[in-house]
Amino acid sequence: MEGYTFTLLIPLILFATFLLIGLAGGKLKPIISGITGVVSLSVVSIISYITAYDYFFVNGKVDGVFGKIIVYDAEWLRFTDSLFIKMGILLDPISVMMLVVISTVSLMVHIYSLGYMHNEGGFSRYYSFLSLFTFAMMGLVISTNIFQTYIFWELVGVSSYLLIGFYYNRPSAVAAAKKAFIVTRFADLGFLIGILLLSSLTGTFDFVELTNVNGSAITAGSSVLFMGLSSMTWALILVFIGCAGKSAMFPLHIWLPDAMEGPTPVSALIHAATMVVAGVYLVARLFPLYALSAPVALEMIAYVGAFTSMFAAIIACTQTDIKRVLAFSTISQIGIMMVGLGVSGYAAETGLGFTASMFHLFTHAMFKALLFLGAGAVIHAVHTNEISGMGGLRKYLPVTHITFLVACLAISGIPPFSGFFSKDEILVAVKEKDSFLFYFESIVSGLSAFYMFRLYFGIFWNRNTTYEHTPHEAGMSMKIPLIILAILAAVTGFIPFSEFVTSDGIPFISHIHWDIAIPATIVGLIGITAAFIFYKKESDLSDKAAASLGGFYNTVHKKFYIDEIYIFVTKKIIFNMVSTPVAWFDRNVVDGTMNGIASVTNFVSEKIKRFQSGQLQQYAFVMVTGMIIIIALIFYFLKN
């Protein structure tokens, strides 16, 4: 559509910025690289906001329905007459919403990093990687087909690897980067197989055709069963494996806490608001297929999300590194989003879960980015990640204190902050579908309030710590993003989200269900009160509570030993019982056979090369001898 051709500038500007800073950054002053990144993201953000305004308020709705607009679509690779890959731009409610989320958070991170990273080496390299990551995420959400999504999906993984391992001189950062890359690669193998199976069943990669409720893709593969499930169900389960890896769902969550080894602004960008919600976004992108063709897969998503949300919330209650608390909080919140999608139907009346999940994705991006950037300001001031090295910082960091408090209230679901509205809609959707999951997620909400205010009181209250150097607020480049994100975390809940983003494109009006909202708020307040009692002032109550739980507390603190289980399976079983015998067989049998053949060949060649002497007499002798032998053999066989 010609009216949106300017959206082509979004990926082009970002890629050009990556090339410019990456290739020329070493010849520029570091601040110039940073300003270049900020300016390019500002332009991209303006274009994204213009696109969102035009789509949602001017041209996006046709006959009361928000449609899918193909801005650009060019053939790239052709396999058959009907199966080919295109590269293009697709605008619909969720892709336009993601343009706003990614550009807003990325811009805040770019500005914030001017202050946070100004003394770090590799400043230009850092900004080039930020531009590459933002380019990859933008390319992912505007893809017109699932194979284009996969290409940018992998590029997101590469740029994430580069940013997590930014401090490449730290072994822990290198290990974390490799861990993130390897775990998500295993998941992406399932994703790739799912794409191939899906395209084989439907004959297309195109999202518009795949999600057309009146098209052939919806019924494709429904009659072909394997282990009691349709081929389409298996294809979508495999696709979800990729989503689970990228969005850190159990048991593929292990990479995300370690990814905190990267710079804190990177955590805000990648591991709070953009990369880790890519899995949620992809399920939403294929939602008509999940809801209408594979309800079993959708139910599985709901229960995987529910378990992950509880599992991560419990662990977050015991962590002492503020970034790891936020990492497990992210895993838990994404699990809640998956639950919202999993209980949703495809229609205005039953599709509340879809809208609520996307709404929570939107609000979570704002308050979780704020939490990470606030944590960065704290770490910048006291030079430690451990809660035990903090306390009483509200006196020294008033702006960080207030903005962090706003984010804590938002994630705890306290009105009128944004998280209250999005969580309320998810709980309403869950209660309509599954009472067990409703009570389960209500407990998760209470735990969220507890661990976030455990963090808040531990940082800003608790005790009057004596600091070697008096902590102080960072500069304006770090405070401005905090203030902007705090405002967004406070007010974005008032957006009538159901009038813009729905499962079928048809807007509807949602209301606050006070019969659910009030109890949910009370549960959140109970969590806050418990944190107040244990952590507002310095005391031994928390130590006594931990001691009373005995081995269970230690197990939770060790993250249920999931990492140790992975290491055991990898080293003791895969390496020792599989890889070692295979390596022995390769060295001694395969290589030994080839080496034996080579040795025999060399031996024979050594013996026969003497016949190539160049002496006529020797050749004549061999020839005559050979003829005599042949004649003798002929007479022998004729006699017998």
Side-chain angles (χ1 to χ4, degrees):
M1 191 174 192
E2 292 184 2
Y4 291 98
T5 51
F6 60 86
T7 54
L8 277 168
L9 292 172
I10 293 175
L12 291 177
I13 290 173
L14 291 168
F15 189 66
T17 305
F18 160 66
L19 291 178
L20 176 62
I21 300 176
L23 297 177
K27 300 178 182 178
L28 303 173
K29 291 183 178 180
I31 191 62
I32 300 299
S33 298
I35 291 173
T36 301
V38 170
V39 170
S40 72
L41 251 297
S42 299
V43 174
V44 166
S45 297
I46 291 170
I47 296 172
S48 298
Y49 299 152
I50 292 173
T51 302
Y53 176 81
D54 192 86
Y55 180 84
F56 285 123
F57 297 102
V58 182
N59 294 316
K61 191 185 295 185
V62 178
D63 297 327
V65 179
F66 286 110
K68 291 179 169 61
I69 299 172
I70 303 293
V71 176
Y72 175 79
D73 212 19
E75 185 177 313
W76 182 47
L77 291 175
R78 177 173 288 274
F79 299 104
T80 67
D81 291 339
S82 59
L83 191 60
F84 46 85
I85 300 174
K86 291 185 174 182
M87 300 291 280
I89 295 176
L90 169 64
L91 298 182
D92 71 343
I94 59 173
S95 63
V96 174
M97 179 266 292
M98 287 300 293
L99 288 181
V100 173
V101 169
I102 297 168
S103 60
T104 300
V105 175
S106 185
L107 177 59
M108 295 300 102
V109 168
H110 274 71
I111 296 172
Y112 182 94
S113 297
L114 290 175
Y116 190 88
M117 299 293 292
H118 75 281
N119 287 326
E120 298 284 353
F123 192 81
S124 296
R125 174 168 55 91
Y126 171 82
Y127 269 93
S128 69
F129 291 167
L130 284 186
S131 297
L132 176 64
F133 174 81
T134 309
F135 162 73
M137 273 304 305
M138 289 294 195
L140 189 157
V141 300
I142 61 177
S143 296
T144 58
N145 61 82
I146 195 169
F147 214 97
Q148 181 185 345
T149 297
Y150 181 75
I151 293 168
F152 282 101
W153 188 276
E154 294 305 313
L155 186 57
V156 165
V158 170
S159 51
S160 171
Y161 168 81
L162 295 172
L163 285 167
I164 295 170
F166 176 77
Y167 298 118
Y168 58 84
N169 55 338
R170 297 181 187 174
S172 58
V174 174
K178 290 192 294 184
K179 186 176 184 180
F181 192 78
I182 292 170
V183 171
T184 53
R185 290 298 70 69
F186 275 108
D188 291 349
L189 175 61
F191 182 21
L192 179 59
I193 297 172
I195 290 173
L196 297 177
L197 180 56
L198 186 62
S199 63
S200 175
L201 294 172
T202 62
T204 183
F205 293 118
D206 190 81
F207 280 132
V208 174
E209 294 182 35
L210 286 172
T211 58
N212 181 2
V213 295
N214 298 314
S216 60
I218 295 295
T219 57
S222 58
S223 60
V224 182
L225 300 180
F226 176 69
M227 296 178 64
L229 299 177
S230 70
S231 299
M232 179 60 76
T233 300
W234 281 112
L236 293 174
I237 288 174
L238 286 166
V239 169
F240 175 69
I241 290 174
C243 299
K246 196 71 79 181
S247 290
M249 294 290 96
F250 181 90
L252 300 172
H253 66 283
I254 57 171
W255 66 270
L256 186 60
D258 287 6
M260 298 301 107
E261 290 290 340
T264 302
V266 168
S267 301
L269 177 63
I270 296 180
H271 310 117
T274 52
M275 172 180 165
V276 289
V277 298
V280 178
Y281 174 81
L282 184 57
V283 173
R285 168 59 68 213
L286 295 172
F287 189 74
L289 278 177
Y290 278 103
L292 302 177
S293 302
V296 174
L298 202 59
E299 185 176 359
M300 182 199 74
I301 290 171
Y303 279 93
V304 169
F307 178 82
T308 302
S309 65
M310 177 68 79
F311 174 83
I314 291 172
I315 294 175
C317 294
T318 65
Q319 298 302 294
T320 58
D321 182 313
I322 61 174
K323 289 177 67 176
R324 289 182 182 268
V325 173
L326 296 178
F328 281 104
S329 170
T330 299
I331 296 171
S332 181
Q333 296 300 309
I334 293 172
I336 293 172
M337 297 175 207
M338 288 293 190
V339 173
L341 288 173
V343 301
S344 182
Y346 182 78
E349 295 182 357
T350 61
L352 177 62
F354 177 94
T355 299
S357 177
M358 294 297 98
F359 194 14
H360 197 55
L361 187 158
F362 185 84
T363 60
H364 175 266
M366 305 308 163
F367 58 68
K368 185 53 66 66
L370 174 57
L371 285 168
F372 269 108
L373 295 185
V378 171
I379 295 169
H380 187 267
V382 298
H383 308 294
T384 181
N385 290 25
E386 290 294 322
I387 301 175
S388 59
M390 303 172 188
L393 287 176
R394 69 189 186 282
K395 298 181 295 185
Y396 306 104
L397 311 175
V399 174
T400 303
H401 169 230
I402 297 300
T403 55
F404 200 90
L405 176 59
V406 168
C408 289
L409 291 168
I411 196 173
S412 300
I414 304 302
F417 299 95
S418 59
F420 164 77
F421 297 93
S422 55
K423 272 191 179 181
D424 172 67
E425 290 194 358
I426 288 179
L427 290 175
V428 170
V430 173
K431 193 172 192 303
E432 292 177 354
K433 184 68 177 286
D434 191 320
S435 296
F436 170 75
L437 285 183
F438 168 73
Y439 292 111
F440 195 81
E441 291 306 308
S442 296
I443 295 171
V444 172
S445 296
L447 289 174
S448 299
F450 173 76
Y451 66 65
M452 285 313 308
F453 274 86
R454 168 180 175 264
L455 190 61
Y456 166 74
F457 289 123
I459 295 171
F460 296 103
W461 294 80
N462 196 267
R463 66 181 186 277
N464 294 317
T465 304
T466 302
Y467 296 99
E468 184 177 347
H469 302 287
T470 303
H472 59 85
E473 287 281 15
M476 291 303 294
S477 64
M478 291 173 64
K479 286 193 289 189
I480 289 175
L482 293 178
I483 294 169
I484 293 173
L485 287 170
I487 293 171
L488 293 174
V491 304
T492 49
F494 293 99
I495 297 174
F497 207 77
S498 61
E499 296 180 22
F500 303 108
V501 179
T502 61
S503 58
D504 56 2
I506 302 174
F508 67 92
I509 298 175
S510 62
H511 304 281
I512 296 176
H513 293 70
W514 292 108
D515 58 326
I516 293 176
I518 291 176
T521 302
I522 292 173
V523 169
L525 291 173
I526 291 172
I528 294 173
T529 302
F532 178 88
I533 294 170
F534 280 99
Y535 301 104
K536 167 66 165 53
K537 295 180 180 180
E538 188 173 13
S539 69
D540 60 353
L541 288 177
S542 60
D543 295 332
K544 289 180 179 178
S548 68
L549 294 173
F552 177 74
Y553 179 86
N554 292 329
T555 300
V556 174
H557 182 65
K558 292 291 186 179
K559 299 165 285 188
F560 291 95
Y561 297 99
I562 301 297
D563 286 271
E564 287 77 5
I565 292 171
Y566 268 104
I567 292 173
F568 174 80
V569 171
T570 302
K571 291 187 175 181
K572 300 296 184 182
I573 298 178
I574 297 178
F575 287 178
N576 292 346
M577 299 179 66
V578 178
S579 299
T580 300
V582 168
W584 181 91
F585 183 84
D586 180 62
R587 286 192 304 268
N588 294 277
V589 178
V590 177
D591 290 352
T593 301
M594 294 299 103
N595 292 336
I597 294 172
S599 298
V600 171
T601 302
N602 286 334
F603 175 80
V604 173
S605 66
E606 285 288 336
K607 296 301 181 183
I608 66 174
K609 72 180 181 181
R610 296 173 185 174
F611 291 116
Q612 303 295 325
S613 64
Q615 297 179 0
L616 184 60
Q617 300 93 323
Q618 185 182 15
Y619 294 160
F621 172 77
V622 172
M623 183 181 70
V624 172
T625 303
M627 290 177 63
I628 292 171
I629 293 172
I630 292 172
I631 292 170
L633 288 173
I634 290 173
F635 276 109
Y636 175 78
F637 285 113
L638 286 175
K639 276 186 178 183
N640 297 299

